């Protein structure tokens, strides 16, 4: 739908002009209500879309926590499972450096009927593990006979668990960040249009800046005192084609809902679905910089 068609539709459905508080310093004179008295939050479909994203974010956080819990349970099996125990003798030790001192302890198990030698590698120097010739008690993993725990020497095992547990926590962090961003976006959109109807606004396009998929359009429109004011609307470029491709001096009509503090819902009918954006009125210094 082109600009002229949008303008005529807005004018045809508008009714009486109304005030539209955009920011604390700017209250525009709108063309009226183009789509009845329903809230923009519901009519735009944003409520449904953002709720869906919110529940996806909740599911991701829950899945990440469950993944971490399962991984931590597997890594700490030596401490909470009753593994079979047997005596063992230290037959060799080997210390090496790999981002810190590590020690390999070779153990001769006295398990009957198949005595064997296994190696325990710990995130600790050999001074913190049994010395050559020492007699110890070990527990063996029923899943993996070569995996052992030296009873009474648990610090090296916890050292080995620390790094994987931290890495497993990374998905939780990412999921929580996504959850917080989604929740903040949901809150802003509900504030902007949760109790406000759509209002049609006719403005003159001045210029625009596009950066990383985000468009900021500088516009002129009448305020409630009848003065032409400059303001800036910003939002995702793919949902605001008339801002992205606007020509200086052209007149465009679109729909707005605002909480009066810079949070706005923007809809360019026929050009894309409604989106959440930001609005602000430049001060004198900024206006000179934009000129």
């Amino acid at each position: 739908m082109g600009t002229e068609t949008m303008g005529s539709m807005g004018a045809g459905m508008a009714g009486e002009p109304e005030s539209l508080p955009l920011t604390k310093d700017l209250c525009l004179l709108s063309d009226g209500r183009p789509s009845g008295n329903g809230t923009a939050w519901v009519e735009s479909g944003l409520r449904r879309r953002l709720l869906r994203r919110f529940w996806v974010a909740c599911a991701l956080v829950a899945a990440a926590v469950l993944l971490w819990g399962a991984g931590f349970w597997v890594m700490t099996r030596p401490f909470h499972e009753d593994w079979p125990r047997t005596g063992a003798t230290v037959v060799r030790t080997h210390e090496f450096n790999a981002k810190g001192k590590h020690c390999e302890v070779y153990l001769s198990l006295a398990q009957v009927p198949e005595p064997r030698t296994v190696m325990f590698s710990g995130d600790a120097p050999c001074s913190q593990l049994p010395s050559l010739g020492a007699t110890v008690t070990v527990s063996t993993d029923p899943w993996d006979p070569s995996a052992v725990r030296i009873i009474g020497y648990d610090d090296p095992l916890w050292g080995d668990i620390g790094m994987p547990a931290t890495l497993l926590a990374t998905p939780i962090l990412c999921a929580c960040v996504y959850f917080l961003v989604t929740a903040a976006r949901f809150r802003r959109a509900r504030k902007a249009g949760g109790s406000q109807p759509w209002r049609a606004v006719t403005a003159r396009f001045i210029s625009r800046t596009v950066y990383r998929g985000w468009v900021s359009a500088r516009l002129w429109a009448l305020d409630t005192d009848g003065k032409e004011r400059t303001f800036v609307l910003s939002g995702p470029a793919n949902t605001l084609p008339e801002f992205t491709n606007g020509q200086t001096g052209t007149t465009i009509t679109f729909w707005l809902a605002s909480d009066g503090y810079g949070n706005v819902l923007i809809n360019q009918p026929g050009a894309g679905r409604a989106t959440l954006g930001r609005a602000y009125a430049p001060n004198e210094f900024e206006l000179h910089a934009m000129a």
Side-chain angles (χ1 to χ4, degrees):
M1 183 181 298
T3 301
E4 294 182 0
T5 306
M6 286 172 51
S8 61
M9 181 176 67
M13 301 177 63
E16 294 297 323
E18 297 185 3
S19 63
L20 172 60
L22 207 61
T23 68
K24 292 186 295 183
D25 304 319
L26 177 61
C27 187
L28 295 181
L29 184 65
S30 78
D31 299 336
R33 303 184 181 186
S35 58
N37 294 319
T39 63
W41 170 237
V42 174
E43 289 185 354
S44 65
L46 269 175
R47 179 178 180 273
R48 182 178 62 257
R49 299 202 305 269
L50 291 181
L51 265 178
R52 185 164 57 243
R53 292 184 186 178
F54 179 79
W55 290 120
V56 167
C58 291
L60 288 175
V61 171
V65 170
L66 288 175
L67 174 65
W68 185 90
F72 190 76
W73 181 88
V74 170
M75 289 185 294
T76 57
R77 287 178 58 240
F79 303 105
H80 59 72
E81 290 188 354
D82 188 18
W83 287 4
R85 297 190 177 191
T86 185
T89 302
V90 178
V91 295
R92 181 189 168 197
T93 62
H94 173 235
E95 189 171 271
F96 61 95
N97 287 300
K99 295 183 179 179
K101 289 186 177 181
H102 299 260
C103 185
E104 293 177 344
V105 179
Y106 292 84
L107 302 158
S108 177
L109 303 186
Q111 188 175 7
V112 178
E114 297 179 358
R116 65 187 189 278
T117 300
V118 296
M119 187 268 288
F120 173 84
S121 179
D123 185 15
C126 287
S127 60
Q128 297 180 16
L129 289 167
S131 59
L132 181 64
T135 300
V136 295
T137 300
V138 301
S139 59
T140 58
D141 186 352
W143 295 1
D144 181 6
S146 65
V148 297
R149 170 195 174 195
I150 304 176
I151 305 301
Y153 295 88
D154 293 336
D155 287 348
L157 273 177
W158 283 114
D160 287 341
I161 290 170
M163 181 57 71
T166 302
L167 292 177
L168 276 176
T170 302
I172 298 179
L173 177 62
C174 295
C176 287
V177 170
Y178 179 72
F179 172 83
L180 292 175
V181 170
T182 302
R185 185 175 176 82
F186 182 92
R187 182 173 179 272
R188 283 182 54 217
R190 186 174 62 180
K191 284 181 61 180
S195 60
Q196 305 296 326
W198 284 119
R199 290 185 174 92
V201 174
T202 299
R204 187 152 35 122
F205 185 88
I206 304 173
S207 63
R208 56 100 174 93
T209 302
V210 180
Y211 180 71
R212 292 187 177 180
W214 192 263
V215 59
S216 297
R218 186 156 62 108
L219 308 164
W220 280 341
L222 294 178
D223 64 12
T224 50
D225 295 326
K227 297 179 181 179
E228 196 168 56
R229 295 285 301 276
T230 299
F231 64 102
V232 176
L233 289 180
S234 304
N238 61 342
T239 59
L240 299 171
E242 291 197 332
F243 291 170
T244 305
N245 304 312
Q247 299 295 320
T248 301
T250 58
T251 300
I252 57 177
T253 299
F254 48 90
W255 301 353
L256 280 181
S258 172
D259 65 354
Y261 294 94
N263 297 304
V264 293
L265 302 185
I266 312 170
N267 189 9
Q268 296 179 347
R273 60 187 182 180
T275 190
L276 174 65
R278 296 286 299 177
Y280 81 96
N283 55 37
E284 292 297 327
F285 176 80
E286 292 172 315
L287 287 174
H288 283 298
M290 291 176 180

